[in-house]
Amino acid sequence: MSDKHHPKKRFGQNFLIDETVIHRIISCIQPTNQDALIEIGPGFGALTHKLLIAQPALSIIEIDNDLVKFWHGQTKTHTQLHIHHQDVLTVDFKSLATIAAKPLRIVGNLPYNISSPLLFHLFSFDDVIHDMCFMLQKEVVDRLCATPNSKTYGRLSIMAQYYCDIYKLFEVPNTAFKPAPAVTSAICRLIPKKAHARYPIDPVKLAECVRLAFTMRRKTLPNALKGLVTVEQIISLGLDPKLRPENLSLLDFCHLAELT
Ligand code: SAM
């Protein structure tokens, strides 16, 4: 990390400084020169420099003008590096996959302030993504992997598990970063499920049903889903109307969404 750069809070700039953690992340990614590899938020390159050793034709997506300038300065050495100076939330990953002519491998120590919208943005490109390996706030990774009947289980868990198989790999203490964030972090791998491994439901319908249900997660199902499904329909699925949204599995939600 450069001493001249003042980390920008609005861009979630907590730079990785712990070499052991950096090596562990790279071994989890296992980058190769065959990969259509994309890094979100390279910063000053804690991961990037190691990714470039394996795949010189790496693509990076960075929003910060100063950091983009830094990376343009690196292109004399890294001649195949593709720099996308863009807000990742506006990136069309489908066209990147078309250019690469293969599914994408997307990695990064993500800006935590946009993690949920970013994950939902990425899920909308699930069919052109091979896998993703991300550093996120530990609480977000726990929510991604959460199972029913737990406090962390909710909209993000259900939608993420609809789209992907998710693996929590390891936790990272805040001392691994400069500046140190207030929270613990964790690395996770997300692998988009193939169409045949998914319940055949329109994801827009599923998302709407789950959104409504978790707007009032402490209410019983008929109250939480008022206007969307009736108590009779809930019973017809073999679900107890006294249950709350947090008691339902992904499959239960797919069945409910099918009725809408
Ligand atoms: N990869 C570096 C590291 O591990 O040291 C930096 C990680 S830092 C947590 C997040 C990075 O994402 C920063 O480089 C930041 O400027 C960039 N970033 C933040 N918001 C972004 C956005 N909306 N689009 C693209 N990059 C963004």
Side-chain angles (χ1 to χ4, degrees):
M1 186 192 143
S2 158
D3 287 337
K4 284 188 220 124
H5 183 84
H6 294 289
K8 293 171 189 140
K9 223 176 171 178
R10 70 180 184 284
F11 292 149
Q13 290 181 353
N14 299 98
F15 299 103
L16 257 173
I17 51 164
D18 184 322
E19 280 298 321
T20 310
V21 170
I22 294 169
H23 271 105
R24 249 183 118 182
I25 298 172
I26 299 292
S27 348
C28 291
I29 299 171
Q30 296 202 356
T32 78
N33 64 1
Q34 298 304 302
D35 298 337
L37 194 59
I38 299 184
E39 186 190 5
I40 298 172
F44 282 105
L47 300 172
T48 325
H49 286 294
K50 298 203 165 45
L51 296 172
L52 279 165
I53 296 170
Q55 174 49 293
L58 173 72
S59 291
I60 54 175
I61 301 168
E62 177 57 66
I63 196 170
D64 184 336
N65 296 342
D66 298 333
L67 293 174
V68 168
K69 235 180 254 165
F70 166 81
W71 284 106
H72 277 299
Q74 299 280 308
T75 51
K76 278 194 197 93
T77 326
H78 300 292
T79 53
Q80 297 181 67
L81 177 69
H82 301 278
I83 303 168
H84 300 269
H85 184 189
Q86 204 174 335
D87 177 351
V88 64
L89 294 175
T90 67
V91 170
D92 176 3
F93 287 95
K94 198 175 182 85
S95 52
L96 295 186
T98 307
I99 295 164
K102 60 171 82 165
L104 308 171
R105 301 198 67 206
I106 309 176
V107 304
N109 169 16
L110 298 185
Y112 296 172
N113 50 341
I114 56 162
S115 45
S116 275
L118 176 51
L119 287 164
F120 279 100
H121 181 62
L122 289 161
F123 295 152
S124 70
F125 296 100
D126 61 316
D127 55 338
V128 297
I129 298 175
H130 175 73
D131 68 354
M132 301 176 267
C133 188
F134 293 140
M135 170 104 76
L136 288 158
Q137 189 176 331
K138 173 192 171 299
E139 278 70 24
V140 174
V141 174
D142 289 342
R143 278 164 55 204
L144 286 171
C145 302
T147 48
N149 307 312
S150 63
K151 274 201 184 120
T152 40
Y153 183 70
R155 179 173 168 250
L156 184 64
S157 330
I158 295 164
M159 293 314 294
Q161 292 169 27
Y162 166 77
Y163 284 108
C164 296
D165 289 316
I166 305 164
Y167 307 91
K168 179 174 177 178
L169 302 181
F170 63 94
E171 291 186 6
V172 178
N174 68 346
T175 48
F177 305 84
K178 194 174 169 189
V183 294
T184 301
S185 301
I187 301 289
C188 64
R189 190 193 311 285
L190 297 101
I191 305 178
K193 291 178 181 169
K194 300 271 179 277
H196 69 259
R198 275 187 210 164
Y199 191 86
I201 179 84
D202 175 359
V204 177
K205 270 190 178 183
L206 177 65
E208 178 51 20
C209 180
V210 172
R211 187 196 62 76
L212 189 67
F214 283 94
T215 311
M216 294 181 248
R217 67 181 289 142
R218 294 305 303 155
K219 295 211 169 181
T220 58
L221 284 182
N223 285 329
L225 293 172
K226 210 172 220 151
L228 203 63
V229 287
T230 63
V231 66
E232 291 76 21
Q233 285 177 310
I234 291 169
I235 294 167
S236 77
L237 294 176
L239 295 171
D240 182 341
K242 285 200 226 61
L243 290 175
R244 299 177 202 282
E246 67 199 33
N247 307 126
L248 265 51
S249 67
L250 165 61
L251 188 60
D252 292 331
F253 274 107
C254 290
H255 289 153
L256 278 168
E258 218 165 23
L259 298 172
T260 65

